[in-house]
Amino acid sequence: NAGVTQTPKFRVLKTGQSMTLLCAQDMNHEYMYWYRQDPGMGLRLIHYSVGEGTTAKGEVPDGYNVSRLKKQNFLLGLESAAPSQTSVYFCASSYWGTGNTIYFGEGSWLTVV
Amino acid sequence: AQSVTQLGSHVSVSEGALVLLRCNYSSSVPPYLFWYVQYPNQGLQLLLKYTSAATLVKGINGFEAEFKKSETSFHLTKPSAHMSDAAEYFCAVSSMAGNQFYFGTGTSLTVIP
């Protein structure tokens, strides 16, 4: 089972460039999430989606946009990358409802120079 | 709002010694609590979760956690540490709607031979 797949795994961007991170899940999960992980700060929620066509802001949404055009995909966009967005990005998904496990992808390492 | 606090960003134990990783939660209602493990350069994997069925929860790789409502704690333990347990451990709580997960800042476990 593929589970949650993220692409690309590594990327180096110049300040001001744009890019999109793609997340795909094959578990038919309703909920999908994008987190960033920084040393000493744990995981912080950027945006999430509770279903196809819906998105919502998390703790740190500034500088990012997302789209969920298909149930299995959740895209994270950086319109104008900044060095502060250098981080490891994790996509995750879960079934709707309470108490469900959240499943993570392998991560995408992004460096903005 | 729900939140979790992990006490101790770094914990070192000798191989064969008891592992104790601390997590306290803040929630106005009975929470759903999780422990995840992250090995280097990988995503997060579920160790165990508490969903009110039993206060002592057993997980994978010999780990277990006890939910103590009076102490608002959900500490993770393992009787005997193994070298392969060296990793980052995250405590998390889900929102009552189940559509957001809040993670602690993580505890890095080092196992000394």
Side-chain angles (χ1 to χ4, degrees):
Chain A
N1 290 335
V4 180
T5 304
Q6 297 179 226
T7 53
K9 193 170 179 67
F10 300 97
R11 183 75 185 270
V12 178
L13 282 178
K14 294 182 179 179
T15 298
Q17 285 186 317
S18 63
M19 77 158 295
T20 300
L21 296 175
L22 172 64
C23 177
Q25 53 93 6
D26 61 1
M27 297 174 282
N28 202 34
H29 285 167
E30 289 79 13
Y31 297 169
M32 296 188 74
Y33 315 82
W34 275 107
Y35 287 89
R36 60 177 289 173
Q37 183 179 28
D38 302 289
M41 304 192 76
L43 282 86
R44 292 181 292 169
L45 182 63
I46 304 171
H47 285 279
Y48 66 99
S49 168
V50 298
E52 182 179 322
T54 72
T55 63
K57 295 180 180 180
E59 300 172 71
V60 288
D62 294 342
Y64 305 94
N65 57 75
V66 288
S67 64
R68 183 112 180 256
L69 299 179
K70 293 182 179 181
K71 185 177 183 179
Q72 64 268 35
N73 295 337
F74 195 30
L75 279 64
L76 178 71
L78 286 71
E79 291 186 345
S80 179
S84 61
Q85 294 178 303
T86 293
S87 188
V88 184
Y89 292 85
F90 287 96
C91 178
S93 68
S94 69
Y95 285 113
W96 74 273
T98 58
N100 290 307
T101 302
I102 183 172
Y103 295 88
F104 284 86
E106 293 288 298
S108 296
W109 275 254
L110 175 65
T111 302
V112 183
V113 297
Chain B
Q2 286 82 9
S3 66
V4 292
T5 302
Q6 292 184 243
L7 300 176
S9 58
H10 298 276
V11 171
S12 294
V13 299
S14 297
E15 189 175 16
L18 171 71
V19 176
L20 171 61
L21 305 182
R22 300 177 186 274
C23 174
N24 288 87
Y25 68 90
S26 172
S27 176
S28 57
V29 295
Y32 295 102
L33 294 159
F34 306 78
W35 275 101
Y36 281 83
V37 61
Q38 183 183 32
Y39 298 105
N41 300 319
Q42 295 186 25
L44 281 73
Q45 304 172 35
L46 179 70
L47 269 180
L48 50 82
K49 69 177 181 181
Y50 167 76
T51 57
S52 77
T55 57
L56 183 62
V57 183
K58 295 186 182 299
I60 61 172
N61 301 337
F63 284 93
E64 61 183 35
E66 186 173 8
F67 172 72
K68 291 187 176 180
K69 185 177 179 180
S70 61
E71 299 177 7
T72 60
S73 68
F74 190 56
H75 302 330
L76 182 70
T77 60
K78 182 174 181 178
S80 177
H82 191 273
M83 295 298 295
S84 61
D85 294 328
E88 187 94 16
Y89 292 81
F90 291 92
C91 182
V93 62
S94 70
S95 65
M96 285 310 298
N99 58 2
Q100 294 192 57
F101 290 78
Y102 302 94
F103 287 83
T105 52
T107 297
S108 177
L109 176 66
T110 300
V111 182
I112 303 167

